[in-house]
Amino acid sequence: MSNFNFPLYFQFKISTFHNDFTIKDSENRTLFYVRQKLFKLKEEIMIFANESRSEQLYGIKADRWLDFNANYTITDARTNETIGKIGRKGMKSLWKANYNAFDSAGMEDYLIKEDNAWIKVGDNLLGEIPILNILTGYIFNPSYSLYDKRENVLLQLLKKPSFFGRKFTLEKLANINPEDETRLILCFMMMILLERERG
């Protein structure tokens, strides 16, 4: 799949125990339905064509359990071929989220970075204050940018003001190799699940 109609909209469901979300394009068409498997020692998510979950398109699975430096392998569910990986930069991500994206051959070709770490600090501080903590989803809205090897910003994921951190928008800021688009969107899927777990 390529030639996506940006911006793309990520919206988490709050009516299920699973960490599910839907990705729609600018014309409100469902592109993916993402479900995170619960109670797994290794992180694992399944990406379907729609909410019926009748057709799985991709899978993403951690290479180890409970590890700060885990890599997440992205596979095509129909062919079982690896199409890429995403990995969190351990120590660098303590302050500000940093993720490396790798191609199918395991070569690092893109980097996703949190734009402003102070937003997370403010969110955590306000989250400790009774009553005011319900406002954190509206006041603090982080963003994450994807860079190529020349440090050009190609994509940016922005959290939208909402309770429970439910809504995100993925904007395309520059041309991307069409062969990489799907893989990079899948990388953002895994990244946002990990960042929501971190708070």
Side-chain angles (χ1 to χ4, degrees):
M1 185 181 290
S2 60
N3 300 317
F4 296 95
N5 293 323
F6 287 86
L8 306 185
Y9 302 100
F10 295 36
Q11 182 157 340
F12 282 81
K13 296 174 74 71
I14 59 172
S15 58
T16 70
F17 290 109
H18 293 269
N19 212 358
D20 293 9
F21 63 98
T22 303
I23 299 178
K24 296 186 177 184
D25 66 9
S26 61
E27 298 176 5
N28 202 38
R29 292 178 300 193
T30 299
L31 303 176
F32 303 107
Y33 183 76
V34 182
R35 167 160 283 196
Q36 184 177 28
K37 286 191 174 181
L38 298 179
F39 313 117
K40 301 283 287 186
L41 291 177
K42 292 182 180 179
E43 291 276 4
E44 185 174 354
I45 68 170
M46 300 172 293
I47 298 97
F48 300 94
N50 53 52
E51 292 191 38
S52 72
R53 304 198 307 274
S54 59
E55 180 188 4
Q56 184 176 349
L57 302 177
Y58 304 98
I60 306 177
K61 192 171 184 179
D63 63 356
R64 64 196 82 177
W65 65 286
L66 299 178
D67 194 297
F68 195 56
N69 292 304
N71 285 323
Y72 301 86
T73 301
I74 304 166
T75 57
D76 186 317
R78 292 155 294 191
T79 63
N80 209 32
E81 293 180 357
T82 297
I83 61 172
K85 293 183 180 181
I86 180 170
R88 183 163 52 200
K89 286 189 170 184
M91 294 304 294
K92 275 195 170 185
S93 289
L94 283 174
W95 168 244
K96 187 161 70 169
N98 281 263
Y99 292 83
N100 296 113
F102 304 87
D103 64 17
S104 59
M107 301 296 292
E108 179 187 336
D109 52 0
Y110 296 96
L111 174 67
I112 301 173
K113 292 195 293 188
E114 187 175 4
D115 294 324
N116 184 351
W118 287 107
I119 291 175
K120 191 177 296 174
V121 173
D123 183 58
N124 289 333
L125 289 174
L126 189 62
E128 296 299 318
I129 302 172
I131 300 175
L132 291 180
N133 57 8
I134 63 173
L135 300 174
T136 58
Y138 276 91
I139 297 172
F140 298 105
N141 299 294
S143 62
Y144 307 85
S145 296
L146 180 133
Y147 298 81
D148 64 14
K149 287 186 174 180
R150 297 180 180 177
E151 299 189 357
N152 299 310
V153 181
L154 307 181
L155 294 168
Q156 186 178 56
L157 184 74
L158 304 99
K159 179 184 169 293
K160 294 300 185 181
S162 64
F163 287 117
F164 310 113
R166 294 178 55 219
K167 299 176 182 178
F168 298 80
T169 300
L170 184 63
E171 301 274 1
K172 185 176 180 179
L173 306 180
N175 289 330
I176 304 171
N177 183 342
E179 295 181 359
D180 293 341
E181 272 194 355
T182 299
R183 172 170 61 95
L184 296 177
I185 293 168
L186 292 165
C187 286
F188 271 107
M189 292 179 196
M190 190 69 238
M191 185 216 72
I192 202 60
L193 284 169
L194 293 170
E195 288 304 298
R196 278 170 58 89
E197 287 177 2
R198 291 178 67 200

